[in-house]
Amino acid sequence: GEALKRLREGRYAVVVTDLYVTRGQEGLESIAALLREAGTTPVGVMSGWPVDDEVARAAGVAFVLRKPFVLEELVRAVEEALAERGKQGEEEAEVTHFL
């Protein structure tokens, strides 16, 4: 809920979220609203659950990090997502961190 509110109120360069699975939802369904609200903002997910890369890409996910991962993998994935966004001519967004 908080992430959706913040996406409505501001602009972000990239969003990274944990892919959580709740009762009645599977896989990417748990972040479907986040993906819709993000629009052109790249959304990356991290998960200990199996995630099919092709399915994730088709849903609009920029990258998937499988737990456990090292910090360098996160940095590289975010840099690649930002580079791709830059190629598409997206304007820079304010960088804000929140949990």
Side-chain angles (χ1 to χ4, degrees):
E2 182 68 19
L4 293 175
K5 178 182 172 200
R6 297 234 184 167
L7 279 170
R8 288 183 196 113
E9 294 173 351
R11 296 182 42 145
Y12 298 90
V14 66
V15 174
V16 180
T17 187
D18 191 42
L19 182 63
Y20 52 91
V21 178
T22 60
R23 234 182 228 174
Q25 294 181 326
E26 293 193 20
L28 298 170
E29 291 175 17
S30 65
I31 62 164
L34 179 72
L35 288 167
R36 283 191 301 275
E37 196 65 43
T40 60
T41 301
V43 175
V45 298
M46 51 189 158
S47 181
W49 294 90
V51 178
D52 183 290
D53 287 330
E54 289 181 30
V55 172
R57 288 271 183 192
V61 173
F63 59 86
V64 176
L65 292 171
R66 287 164 182 78
K67 295 178 187 177
F69 57 87
V70 295
L71 182 58
E72 289 78 15
E73 291 175 285
L74 173 61
V75 171
R76 184 174 45 252
V78 168
E79 287 175 342
E80 289 172 2
L82 292 174
E84 184 62 32
R85 180 182 176 144
K87 287 180 195 173
Q88 296 171 2
E90 294 290 328
E91 294 178 24
E92 290 220 10
E94 179 181 339
V95 176
T96 304
H97 306 278
F98 65 94
L99 298 175

